[in-house]
Amino acid sequence: MAIRVQIYLFQILFLVFVVSAERSDTRFLLTSNASSGERHSEEYCVMYDICGKRSDGKVLNCPYGSPSVKPDDMFSSKIQSMCPTISGNICCTEAQFDTLRTQVQQAIPFLVGCPACLRNFLNLFCELTCSPNQSLFINVTSVSKVNNNLTVAGIDFIITDAFGEGLYNSCKDVKFGTMNTRAIDFIGAGAKNFKEWFAFIGTRAAINVPGSPYAINFRPSIAESYGMKPMNVSAYSCGDTSLGCSCGDCPSASVCSDYAPPSIHIEGSCSVRIGSLKAKCIEFSLAILYVILVSIFLGWGLFHRSRERNPAPIMKPMLNVMDGSELHSTNRPKDENLSSQVLEDVPQLRNGVQLSIVQGYMSNFYRRYGTWVARHPTIILCSSLAIVLVLCLGLIRFKVETRPEKLWVGPGSKAAVEKQFFDSHLAPFYRIEQIVLATIPDANGISPSIVTENNIKLLFEIQKKVDGIRANFSGSMISLTDICMKPIGQDCATQSVLQYFKMDPRNYDDYGGVQHVEYCFQHYTSADTCMSAFKAPLDPSTALGGFSGNNYSEASAFIVTYPVNNAIDKEGNETGRAVAWEKAFIQIVKDDLLPMMQSKNLTLSFSSESSIEEELKRESTADAITISISYLVMFAYISLTLGDSPRLSSFYISSKILLGLAGVMLVMLSVLGSVGFFSAIGVKSTLIIMEVIPFLVLADEKTLLNPVLNLVGVDNMCILVHAVKRQPLELPLEGRISNALVEVGPSITLASLAEVLAFAVGTFIPMPACRVFSMFAALAVLLDFLLQVTAFVALIVFDFLRAEDRRIDCIPCIKISPSYADSDKGIGQRKPGLLARYMKEVHAPILSLWGVKLVVISVFVAFALTSIALCTRIQPGLEQKIVLPRDSYLQGYFNNVSEYLRIGPPLYFVVKNYNYSSESRQTNQLCSISQCNSDSLLNEIARASLIPESSYIAKPAASWLDDFLVWISPEAFGCCRKFTNGSYCPPDDQPPCCASEGGSCNLNGLCKDCTTCFLHSDLYNDRPSTAQFREKLPWFLTALPSADCSKGGHGAYTSSVELKGFESGIIQASSFRTYHTPLNKQVDYVNSMRAAREFTSRVSDSLKIEIFPYSVFYMFFEQYLDIWRTALINLAIAIGAVFVVCLVITCSLWSSAIILLVLAMIVVDLMGVMAILNIQLNALSVVNLVMAVGIAVEFCVHTTHAFSVSSGDRNQRMKEALGTMGASVFSGITLTKLVGVIILCFSRTEVFVVYYFQMYLALVLLGFLHGLVFLPVVLSMCGPPSRCVLIDKREDQPSPASQL
């Protein structure tokens, strides 16, 4: 994604000719003088006429002095049109002037956008060639004989530094839009000052090498004895009002002073310094808050302790009746030994639990439902399974979505809409196939240079194999040339250093081997031999990696990029042909090239456009073994947990292996039913659904395997089984089933509803993969709950009937004699285990100590506040390599791209509905040449490129509009031309004006009568009329660039303008291309997108023109622009939903508020752990955080409920709650969840290890610590009142049924 290189730099054929012409032909124009006895005076020439040619065709001037001559009127007018500083006599012949005109026309398109620069540039060569006072500042220093004629071989050009400085300053910032760079890079070889520019111009070139045919020595002065003086023509400033340039070409102009580049905004700059310690403001604020909170807590603790020292009343209220309950509170002695005294007075009362209204209704329902199920288990089992199996029929339409844009991009996203607009109105971004060949670092970590003879020849071998790839598509054999981009001609626009040899290995030795490559690194814009096969210069930064600055020879990697044509229709033949070739490409790289590179001690990484999609498909089977193991582990764990303590005499009957297996099957059916339902309605599944939901559902089913009452959780199987076991054996089975459902039914409902709501909140997340996953997961959990209160209850009935009938567990057809199977006796009379005794006798008393409470509160509050501070360091994004299998070849590719790439992705500024009519101001609001608005779009882009650290814009934009306006300009007389019949006339160096195979161009041939399209009088303020714009724009877009006119738009701008319907005066879509700075981190991509959108929004509002930025990666990173907002909103909804469910079912605001506090702390602490582990914030982590709310409920609700139904003071109730629930929370929730989480550690896909194993492991540990350490302390200090009451004793009411 980051290697979208300069593919559209096709029209820079010019640089081969311009720079060669400007360094050579324009320099030969500078010579016209006599050899010996020359005079240096006004109106005298030192170089007049042409006396010969070099073997490469470059003409040479005569070194003969003569008086200046007066031209005829026609010739004089021609000179005045280009050289207004020269009047009267001249020192050049018409042939010399025509040659001058022919050569400078190649440079004019580069400079015409800045009239001051162009005028200074033309004055330099006009004065040298035709000035009547030529002898005053030109001195011939050497001559040579050509065909028996003396010709100029070297001259001194006396010119003031002031003119040189003025010339350079007026031109140094002028842009060449097509290449997104400065014009000086082409006509001055990137000179840093005027002396370097003059040195470049004055160097005598070798035969067939671009440059001057003779040496020019620019000198600021000469001895007075010579009678010479410097050229005295004044240089125009680019800020000159009469020849003013745009702000983009002349930032120093006074008109641009009000538009200085904005200062760089540094985020998070707020900090506080205390001595040598520097902290962020938020960290400092939280530290102060912590001190305040701890101080308040200490003060409250001391006050409370002082009150405890006073005698307390023996009798105290047990319950403040809540919510208008009609039950009255009773008094109970503080000393448990006194309880019998009260009971003696009220023999018809006993201890009970006050149920909320909702719990009462649910208990009545489950009582009747449980009795009916116990009497009709077959009907319930068959009907529930039938419904789920009907849902499973939807699997017939099951499909898996693997297209990245469909997985990670919302269909209504702004970026997706913009991409669709760009693709449909302009052109889809090309497909990328890429190879990265790199050297291996030595022992010191330094990578050797890749630019060696052996490596270049090896690259030719690689290219030969790639060229030989043939892929079968519908019976046709597809090669690279069939699908590659061909901007001009029939050559692929491959980005490779081999382009410096025209992709032909036979040119390697002819061109000079490695030395030629290193030469091209510095002269890729000027040397003809460095021109690519597809007739455009190749920027070394697009084909090399691992270098610093411009030290290309130190590069440690070759980057070979094959741009391939793309299509909007992803299912069409064009895409199919490309995908077929890409598969063959990947296969040959794996089979042939990779082993070859390893034997050469080089690394090779590679990728194709379809690689990610193909690897995601492979990922679907990568963890099949892990999933299978997880089901086996769950089956074994559930079977052991459901059964009784193993006793050899009754194990065959008391075990629950068959019931456990049935439970696992129900879990699988719930998943399949969910997938089947959504498949039936046309929702495609994702790989996350296929791999994560089984983990989650199984983990949830196995983690809450507690034999005690729960208010939250999905440990329904074990809860139900153990609830039935706790019922008195003297009751009939239907009574035990009914009582068990009354006891745990409301708890199961609350837990499942909270879990379903937590998952359902995830459907608000815009990323399709996570949204669909949340939908599937919510329905799977709901179906799992329904199956367990229906089918699983029926299976419990069958299993207990089997046990009572003394039948073997796994072979129920075999009965055991009564002596072997008293399996269910003694259930409920088991002694407390070691863990339960530890919780009640060690853990709880320790937490009751005030010193321990102080430490616990201080530590947990400190960690929570620290986590809040750490949350600010969580970075948005999702590394691509994370979502791929660990053994994917793309892992190495992404690493190498991040390490070696030195160029950023292309960035397009797309303008919608551009009104080009002469009545509109939008042309000047967009362009950046002379007469354009100083705050125009392109000028603003140029300014933004000056601060790439904050704008992430690397360079000014390539502008089709600027180049079009230059192309039709009368000054660019070699560009827009017409025949006498009004049709388009190409430049003189193109057919039909010139032979197509490099033959000579006859200026007196077919195109001799061609004239420029417009005169200055035809234009209004150098702008075309509506009709002129409409007529000439298609000409421009079909014009080929060449040496005579580098501004032709074909290739570079073919897809930059939509011509459909443009005749109305409105261009519906057009784009201006630039590049982002290199983006190596996910946060860089996010920030660059945010910066581009903020920039575009500001400019669009200012200009009142609809503009938007587009880059290929925007669609995938848009979600991260407001991921924090999405996360906080979803978390607030999830926590709020759980709070409301708890409040509605328990009718206890106090308990619900404590649960809310603990949930919030667990989530905040989990985000702190994310920051510590460098886990990024994305849709996956947001879904996990939302799910963590539902799962974290299980760690706190059980203890809170046990505390509320216990009697005594808060410390006593906390001890009792830990004694009854502590062991269950630790063994039944914490340990069992750890088993499920640890399985994820063995996943072959990094995304599950990072976003599920690490995050869920942290969640389990945080839930354990908060549920068994922090929560008990909070309850012992400010827990809710007890719900224990004394109620009438009813003989017909089963005792356990009311205790919930």
Side-chain angles (χ1 to χ4, degrees):
M1 191 182 303
I3 186 66
R4 308 311 193 193
V5 291
Q6 303 177 8
I7 298 299
Y8 297 111
L9 311 181
F10 314 121
Q11 66 187 57
I12 319 310
L13 276 172
F14 162 85
L15 63 94
V16 178
F17 301 97
V18 165
V19 180
S20 66
E22 287 311 331
R23 282 194 279 176
S24 61
D25 297 335
T26 53
R27 279 175 256 173
F28 82 72
L29 297 172
L30 310 182
T31 46
S32 263
N33 215 339
S35 51
S36 58
E38 55 194 15
R39 289 173 48 187
H40 297 290
S41 62
E42 294 183 358
E43 301 294 333
Y44 200 83
C45 310
V46 293
M47 297 187 300
Y48 188 82
D49 209 350
I50 297 173
C51 288
K53 292 183 179 180
R54 299 199 321 175
S55 59
D56 56 2
K58 294 178 180 177
V59 297
L60 299 171
N61 292 333
C62 302
Y64 304 120
S66 64
S68 59
V69 298
K70 184 175 180 61
D72 57 39
D73 291 342
M74 182 174 291
F75 186 24
S76 178
S77 63
K78 289 175 61 178
I79 292 177
Q80 282 287 300
S81 66
M82 193 174 75
C83 306
T85 60
I86 298 177
S87 61
N89 293 346
I90 59 173
C91 282
C92 60
T93 63
E94 191 164 0
Q96 283 180 292
F97 181 80
D98 288 341
T99 304
L100 170 65
R101 181 184 174 91
T102 300
Q103 300 304 325
V104 297
Q105 80 175 33
Q106 299 173 357
I108 286 175
F110 287 91
L111 308 176
V112 71
C114 182
C117 170
L118 178 61
R119 176 47 50 208
N120 291 333
F121 185 80
L122 292 178
N123 284 346
L124 174 69
F125 297 111
C126 286
E127 292 292 323
L128 185 148
T129 306
C130 294
S131 172
N133 302 318
Q134 187 186 71
S135 64
L136 290 179
F137 49 84
I138 298 294
N139 183 44
V140 176
T141 57
S142 63
V143 295
S144 61
K145 183 172 289 189
V146 176
N147 296 328
N148 295 321
N149 293 327
L150 288 178
T151 60
V152 174
I155 65 171
D156 283 342
F157 191 165
I158 315 303
I159 188 169
T160 62
D161 288 348
F163 180 86
E165 194 75 38
L167 169 64
Y168 179 79
N169 288 337
S170 66
C171 296
K172 65 179 181 180
D173 294 315
V174 176
K175 303 183 302 297
F176 179 51
T178 308
M179 285 285 289
N180 298 86
T181 188
R182 301 183 308 160
I184 196 72
D185 292 338
F186 296 92
I187 62 174
K192 302 298 186 296
N193 52 62
F194 78 92
K195 293 183 178 180
E196 291 184 8
W197 194 2
F198 283 170
F200 169 74
I201 293 174
T203 303
R204 183 180 187 275
I207 300 299
N208 293 320
V209 174
S212 172
Y214 48 81
I216 305 174
N217 180 27
F218 289 90
R219 301 176 58 180
S221 62
I222 195 169
E224 294 182 3
S225 59
Y226 285 89
M228 301 177 66
K229 58 183 179 180
M231 186 185 77
N232 61 358
V233 177
S234 299
Y236 292 94
S237 168
C238 63
D240 188 284
T241 55
S242 61
L243 295 171
C245 304
S246 68
C247 291
D249 291 335
C250 185
S252 61
S254 58
V255 70
C256 307
S257 59
D258 296 333
Y259 298 92
S263 58
I264 299 175
H265 174 67
I266 302 176
E267 296 183 357
S269 58
C270 178
S271 61
V272 177
R273 183 177 296 276
I274 305 176
S276 60
L277 180 64
K278 184 178 180 181
K280 293 182 178 180
C281 290
I282 186 173
E283 296 170 352
F284 183 74
S285 302
L286 291 173
I288 294 177
L289 177 62
Y290 176 70
V291 172
I292 294 174
L293 291 176
V294 170
S295 300
I296 294 174
F297 172 70
L298 286 174
W300 177 83
L302 292 174
F303 174 75
H304 185 75
R305 290 289 291 167
S306 65
R307 290 188 58 188
E308 283 188 346
R309 294 191 183 98
N310 299 326
I314 295 177
M315 307 295 289
K316 62 189 292 185
M318 281 186 59
L319 172 68
N320 297 325
V321 180
M322 301 172 55
D323 302 326
S325 174
E326 296 179 359
L327 292 178
H328 299 287
S329 64
T330 61
N331 290 335
R332 174 177 177 174
K334 183 176 181 179
D335 190 346
E336 294 292 339
N337 294 330
L338 299 178
S339 62
S340 59
Q341 299 175 9
V342 179
L343 296 179
E344 288 174 0
D345 297 332
V346 282
Q348 297 303 315
L349 299 178
R350 67 173 178 81
N351 287 328
V353 178
Q354 170 64 45
L355 293 174
S356 69
I357 297 176
V358 177
Q359 287 174 318
Y361 282 117
M362 295 176 66
S363 296
N364 291 333
F365 166 76
Y366 277 117
R367 180 179 300 282
R368 291 190 294 268
Y369 171 73
T371 301
W372 196 85
V373 172
R375 293 175 180 175
H376 308 89
T378 304
I379 296 176
I380 292 295
L381 179 62
C382 294
S383 59
S384 59
L385 290 179
I387 293 174
V388 176
L389 290 175
V390 169
L391 293 178
C392 292
L393 293 177
L395 293 172
I396 297 174
R397 300 184 60 187
F398 174 76
K399 293 181 180 180
V400 177
E401 183 63 79
T402 58
R403 290 175 293 175
E405 66 273 15
K406 296 296 183 180
L407 287 174
W408 311 113
V409 182
S413 73
K414 181 180 178 181
V417 172
E418 291 170 348
K419 178 184 184 300
Q420 194 277 334
F421 180 88
F422 186 90
D423 290 350
S424 59
H425 288 80
L426 298 174
F429 200 79
Y430 48 85
R431 305 174 70 91
I432 289 294
E433 334 297 343
Q434 199 165 66
I435 292 175
V436 180
L437 180 66
T439 56
I440 298 176
D442 57 21
N444 298 322
I446 300 175
S447 298
S449 173
I450 192 74
V451 186
T452 65
E453 180 176 354
N454 290 336
N455 291 336
I456 294 175
K457 290 183 177 181
L458 185 62
L459 197 59
F460 272 117
E461 294 183 33
I462 294 175
Q463 185 61 45
K464 182 178 179 181
K465 288 186 175 293
V466 172
D467 290 337
I469 295 175
R470 297 293 183 273
N472 191 334
F473 177 75
S474 300
S476 301
M477 303 308 294
I478 308 301
S479 66
L480 178 61
T481 56
D482 297 325
I483 59 174
C484 70
M485 288 187 64
K486 300 172 183 176
I488 298 178
Q490 298 301 314
D491 292 294
C492 296
T494 302
Q495 302 292 293
S496 169
V497 294
L498 301 184
Q499 290 288 4
Y500 296 138
F501 302 101
K502 305 293 189 293
M503 303 297 290
D504 189 346
R506 294 172 296 182
N507 291 335
Y508 180 79
D509 292 326
D510 295 340
Y511 284 13
V514 176
Q515 290 74 22
H516 173 71
V517 173
E518 294 178 345
Y519 172 80
C520 289
F521 290 163
Q522 306 302 323
H523 303 88
Y524 67 95
T525 60
S526 57
D528 182 35
T529 54
C530 297
M531 187 64 63
S532 67
F534 60 94
K535 301 178 177 63
L538 178 75
D539 189 337
S541 61
T542 67
L544 297 172
F547 57 88
S548 58
N550 292 327
N551 298 322
Y552 301 121
S553 297
E554 299 177 359
S556 57
F558 287 141
I559 300 175
V560 183
T561 306
Y562 303 100
V564 170
N565 292 317
N566 208 346
I568 298 178
D569 182 10
K570 301 302 180 184
E571 306 297 331
N573 288 337
E574 187 173 355
T575 300
R577 285 152 51 93
V579 171
W581 187 89
E582 288 165 357
K583 291 181 178 179
F585 166 72
I586 294 299
Q587 196 60 45
I588 198 170
V589 173
K590 287 182 177 179
D591 296 343
D592 297 345
L593 299 184
L594 195 57
M596 181 193 305
M597 296 307 106
Q598 291 172 347
S599 65
K600 303 290 186 181
N601 200 29
L602 297 170
T603 64
L604 180 70
S605 58
F606 50 95
S607 171
S608 71
E609 187 74 15
S610 58
S611 286
I612 293 180
E613 182 174 347
E614 294 299 322
E615 286 298 280
L616 287 176
K617 290 179 181 178
R618 188 174 69 87
E619 182 188 18
S620 61
T621 59
D623 289 313
I625 296 178
T626 306
I627 296 176
S628 301
I629 293 176
S630 70
Y631 277 103
L632 292 176
V633 171
M634 289 305 97
F635 165 65
Y637 189 91
I638 293 174
S639 299
L640 291 175
T641 307
L642 292 180
D644 297 329
S645 300
R647 289 180 295 175
L648 185 61
S649 60
S650 61
F651 174 74
Y652 303 104
I653 292 179
S654 63
S655 66
K656 305 293 183 184
I657 296 176
L658 201 58
L659 185 61
L661 177 61
V664 173
M665 296 299 295
L666 291 179
V667 171
M668 297 176 64
L669 283 176
S670 67
V671 175
L672 293 176
S674 176
V675 176
F677 171 78
F678 285 107
S679 297
I681 62 176
V683 180
K684 290 185 178 181
S685 181
T686 69
L687 301 177
I688 297 178
I689 293 170
M690 299 307 299
E691 299 193 19
V692 178
I693 286 183
F695 283 122
L696 295 177
V697 177
L698 282 171
D700 287 333
E701 296 309 320
K702 68 181 180 50
T703 50
L704 300 176
L705 306 178
N706 300 300
V708 293
L709 203 68
N710 295 274
L711 285 178
V712 174
V714 284
D715 53 346
N716 303 340
M717 290 188 296
C718 291
I719 291 176
L720 287 168
V721 171
H722 287 283
V724 174
K725 287 182 178 181
R726 286 197 297 272
Q727 307 307 314
L729 291 177
E730 58 268 18
L731 290 176
L733 181 58
E734 65 183 53
R736 282 179 279 163
I737 295 294
S738 175
N739 288 349
L741 284 177
V742 170
E743 180 180 341
V744 302
S747 163
I748 291 175
T749 304
L750 171 62
S752 299
L753 184 58
E755 193 81 6
V756 170
L757 286 176
F759 276 107
V761 169
T763 60
F764 293 102
I765 295 176
M767 181 184 284
C770 296
R771 184 178 65 250
V772 173
F773 163 70
S774 299
M775 293 164 49
F776 279 63
L779 182 57
V781 173
L782 179 61
L783 289 176
D784 190 44
F785 160 69
L786 295 176
L787 284 176
Q788 287 174 341
V789 297
T790 55
F792 192 72
V793 172
L795 290 171
I796 291 175
V797 173
F798 285 126
D799 187 77
F800 273 77
L801 290 174
R802 173 198 61 77
E804 292 175 359
D805 201 27
R806 300 185 297 277
R807 294 180 179 274
I808 294 178
D809 183 16
C810 295
I811 315 176
C813 59
I814 300 178
K815 295 180 64 174
I816 301 297
S817 60
S819 59
Y820 289 95
D822 191 10
S823 61
D824 287 329
K825 290 183 179 180
I827 297 294
Q829 288 79 33
R830 290 173 292 183
K831 295 181 180 180
L834 179 63
L835 185 58
R837 293 199 302 272
Y838 163 79
M839 287 290 176
K840 188 170 185 178
E841 299 171 8
V842 179
H843 190 73
I846 291 176
L847 293 181
S848 299
L849 300 176
W850 266 100
V852 174
K853 292 180 181 180
L854 174 62
V855 172
V856 168
I857 296 297
S858 300
V859 170
F860 277 81
V861 172
F863 189 69
L865 295 179
T866 303
S867 296
I868 293 176
L870 289 173
C871 286
T872 61
R873 303 184 180 183
I874 299 177
Q875 299 292 344
L878 176 62
E879 296 289 346
Q880 289 176 313
K881 59 184 181 181
I882 289 291
V883 301
L884 299 168
R886 291 178 177 176
D887 59 349
S888 171
Y889 63 86
L890 290 178
Q891 297 284 358
Y893 169 75
F894 287 130
N895 289 334
N896 286 348
V897 165
S898 177
E899 179 180 359
Y900 297 122
L901 212 60
R902 296 296 184 268
I903 189 170
L907 167 62
Y908 298 87
F909 289 96
V910 181
V911 178
K912 301 175 69 174
N913 300 320
Y914 159 44
N915 186 345
Y916 65 81
S917 66
S918 54
E919 295 80 11
S920 171
R921 299 184 299 111
Q922 291 190 1
T923 296
N924 287 339
Q925 288 180 316
L926 295 177
C927 65
S928 63
I929 60 174
S930 178
Q931 306 298 326
C932 297
N933 293 359
S934 58
D935 62 343
S936 68
L937 170 63
L938 291 163
N939 279 330
E940 290 293 335
I941 295 173
R943 291 191 192 94
S945 68
L946 300 177
I947 48 171
E949 299 85 358
S950 60
S951 70
Y952 294 89
I953 297 176
K955 53 182 67 178
S959 170
W960 69 267
L961 182 57
D962 283 356
D963 285 355
F964 171 65
L965 295 177
V966 169
W967 186 80
I968 64 173
S969 172
E971 281 86 357
F973 46 80
C975 292
C976 185
R977 307 195 308 169
K978 58 184 178 181
F979 288 111
T980 53
N981 62 3
S983 61
Y984 172 64
C985 175
D988 286 328
D989 59 351
Q990 295 182 23
C993 304
C994 187
S996 59
E997 299 300 329
S1000 61
C1001 299
N1002 183 4
L1003 299 183
N1004 296 319
L1006 182 62
C1007 302
K1008 63 182 179 65
D1009 294 327
C1010 288
T1011 58
T1012 57
C1013 294
F1014 304 112
L1015 301 176
H1016 280 289
S1017 58
D1018 297 327
L1019 305 175
Y1020 179 74
N1021 288 335
D1022 293 333
R1023 296 294 181 262
S1025 66
T1026 305
Q1028 292 168 341
F1029 198 112
R1030 182 187 305 118
E1031 179 188 10
K1032 297 303 184 290
L1033 181 60
W1035 288 16
F1036 167 72
L1037 294 177
T1038 57
L1040 292 171
S1042 64
D1044 280 359
C1045 181
S1046 63
K1047 292 294 184 178
H1050 183 70
Y1053 301 123
T1054 301
S1055 59
S1056 295
V1057 185
E1058 183 184 33
L1059 293 181
K1060 181 180 179 181
F1062 89 109
E1063 296 85 357
S1064 64
I1066 302 293
I1067 295 177
Q1068 297 182 27
S1070 63
S1071 66
F1072 302 94
R1073 184 192 68 254
T1074 182
Y1075 292 86
H1076 277 302
T1077 54
L1079 308 175
N1080 296 320
K1081 301 177 181 178
Q1082 294 284 293
V1083 67
D1084 293 336
Y1085 286 93
V1086 178
N1087 290 340
S1088 66
M1089 181 179 182
R1090 179 180 288 109
R1093 284 195 169 179
E1094 291 175 353
F1095 168 84
T1096 306
S1097 176
R1098 175 175 60 83
V1099 175
S1100 183
D1101 292 342
S1102 173
L1103 302 179
K1104 309 302 180 186
I1105 300 175
E1106 189 173 358
I1107 309 168
F1108 68 85
Y1110 170 74
S1111 191
V1112 288
F1113 68 87
Y1114 282 2
M1115 186 172 62
F1116 301 100
F1117 285 85
E1118 182 185 34
Q1119 58 181 303
Y1120 304 124
L1121 295 179
D1122 57 354
I1123 190 68
W1124 273 108
R1125 178 175 174 272
T1126 301
L1128 294 177
I1129 290 177
N1130 281 275
L1131 285 173
I1133 294 174
I1135 294 176
V1138 172
F1139 173 76
V1140 170
V1141 170
C1142 292
L1143 183 62
V1144 169
I1145 294 182
T1146 65
C1147 294
S1148 173
L1149 180 63
W1150 201 327
S1151 298
S1152 300
I1154 291 177
I1155 292 173
L1156 178 66
L1157 171 65
V1158 178
L1159 286 180
M1161 290 185 65
I1162 291 176
V1163 172
V1164 168
D1165 291 348
L1166 182 58
M1167 296 179 72
V1169 173
M1170 287 176 57
I1172 295 173
L1173 298 178
N1174 292 321
I1175 298 177
Q1176 295 171 311
L1177 187 67
N1178 48 56
L1180 291 178
S1181 52
V1182 170
V1183 168
N1184 285 343
L1185 289 171
V1186 172
M1187 292 189 300
V1189 174
I1191 295 175
V1193 170
E1194 305 164 2
F1195 289 96
C1196 54
V1197 172
H1198 313 305
T1199 305
T1200 303
H1201 173 73
F1203 179 86
S1204 66
V1205 299
S1206 301
S1207 59
D1209 62 22
R1210 286 192 174 95
N1211 274 330
Q1212 291 173 333
R1213 292 161 59 200
M1214 182 268 285
K1215 293 178 182 177
E1216 184 177 346
L1218 281 178
T1220 56
M1221 291 301 304
S1224 299
V1225 171
F1226 181 75
S1227 63
I1229 298 178
T1230 305
L1231 293 182
T1232 52
K1233 280 189 179 296
L1234 283 176
V1235 173
V1237 169
I1238 289 174
I1239 295 174
L1240 292 171
C1241 177
F1242 300 99
S1243 172
R1244 295 174 57 190
T1245 305
E1246 192 72 15
V1247 67
F1248 298 116
V1249 176
V1250 173
Y1251 289 97
Y1252 294 99
F1253 169 67
Q1254 293 182 4
M1255 288 192 68
Y1256 276 92
L1257 179 62
L1259 171 62
V1260 171
L1261 296 179
L1262 289 172
F1264 159 70
L1265 292 174
H1266 283 79
L1268 293 182
V1269 179
F1270 177 73
L1271 178 62
V1273 170
V1274 172
L1275 292 174
S1276 69
M1277 297 175 64
C1278 55
S1282 173
R1283 300 180 70 93
C1284 267
V1285 294
L1286 297 178
I1287 60 177
D1288 290 340
K1289 188 173 183 179
R1290 311 237 179 230
E1291 296 298 334
D1292 57 342
Q1293 180 176 356
S1295 57
S1298 63
Q1299 304 209 7
L1300 184 60

